[in-house]
Amino acid sequence: MKQIKVFAAIAIFLAADQISKAAAVMSLKGREGISILKDIFELQYVENRGAAFGILQNQQWLFFVITVLAVALLTFAYSKLPDEKKYRPLRFCYVFLCAGAVGNLIDRIFRGYVVDFFYFKPINFPVFNVADIYVTVSLAVLFFLILVYYKEDDFAFLEKRKQG
């Protein structure tokens, strides 16, 4: 039953990402950016054919392979998680990482590019989307958890068990 809840959560966050991108296409494509906070934040339509910061332009096959491998690896690790409350933060990270990775993968498969639309002007940060937020925030939380919250022994569940 828990797996159904996890996959339902991934589906809900994935739907939110795809709906936001569809809204960006309908509202922003072919238009000037829309200022939300003057000189700070705007909605601006961008078709990103690369990865973070626009690197590796037009390498869709590479992104497909990396995403499939990452989701498979994450799912394997998730399947090994003990059913204890202290691992709940890792479960949340899994949900958001998968929703974000698959959200951008859907764009790459069906559009040939990722739709980005959030833009912070003061730091000239690359334009990004909801899936990017899922991935970035969950990775930051994951790094924090690994460095500060969990101890090395907490990851013993990932070790290969000896057949005896």
Side-chain angles (χ1 to χ4, degrees):
M1 183 63 176
K2 287 183 182 182
Q3 278 73 9
I4 293 172
K5 288 181 182 179
V6 168
F7 292 116
I10 291 170
I12 289 168
F13 291 116
L14 183 57
D17 170 65
Q18 291 299 301
I19 290 167
S20 69
K21 290 173 180 172
V25 170
M26 289 188 309
S27 303
L28 300 170
K29 187 173 183 174
R31 299 183 180 152
E32 291 288 319
I34 299 171
S35 180
I36 303 299
L37 295 171
K38 186 173 171 39
D39 296 324
I40 296 174
F41 177 70
E42 70 179 38
L43 300 177
Q44 183 182 99
Y45 181 83
V46 172
E47 295 176 357
N48 183 356
R49 287 172 170 75
F53 307 104
I55 62 171
L56 298 172
Q57 290 289 312
N58 298 311
Q59 300 296 316
Q60 303 308 330
W61 65 271
L62 181 61
F63 300 127
F64 177 83
V65 170
I66 290 170
T67 302
V68 169
L69 289 174
V71 170
L73 182 63
L74 288 167
T75 301
F76 172 77
Y78 178 85
S79 73
K80 300 289 186 185
L81 277 174
D83 194 22
E84 297 174 27
K85 187 177 180 178
K86 75 177 178 180
Y87 293 104
R88 191 173 292 159
L90 291 179
R91 294 181 191 285
F92 284 114
C93 287
Y94 170 78
V95 167
F96 284 104
L97 281 169
C98 285
V102 173
N104 282 340
L105 180 63
I106 288 170
D107 278 18
R108 292 181 197 287
I109 291 170
F110 293 103
R111 291 188 171 102
Y113 55 85
V114 175
V115 172
D116 290 331
F117 52 91
F118 293 131
Y119 177 57
F120 282 102
K121 292 179 85 168
I123 57 175
N124 195 25
F125 196 79
V127 182
F128 59 99
N129 62 45
V130 172
D132 296 337
I133 295 169
Y134 295 162
V135 170
T136 303
V137 171
S138 58
L139 281 175
V141 170
L142 185 61
F143 285 131
F144 173 81
L145 291 170
I146 290 169
L147 293 173
V148 177
Y149 181 71
Y150 293 110
K151 307 295 182 246
E152 188 175 337
D153 292 347
D154 291 329
F155 294 104
F157 66 89
L158 290 173
E159 295 175 3
K160 189 174 183 178
R161 293 202 165 95
K162 294 181 181 177
Q163 303 279 329

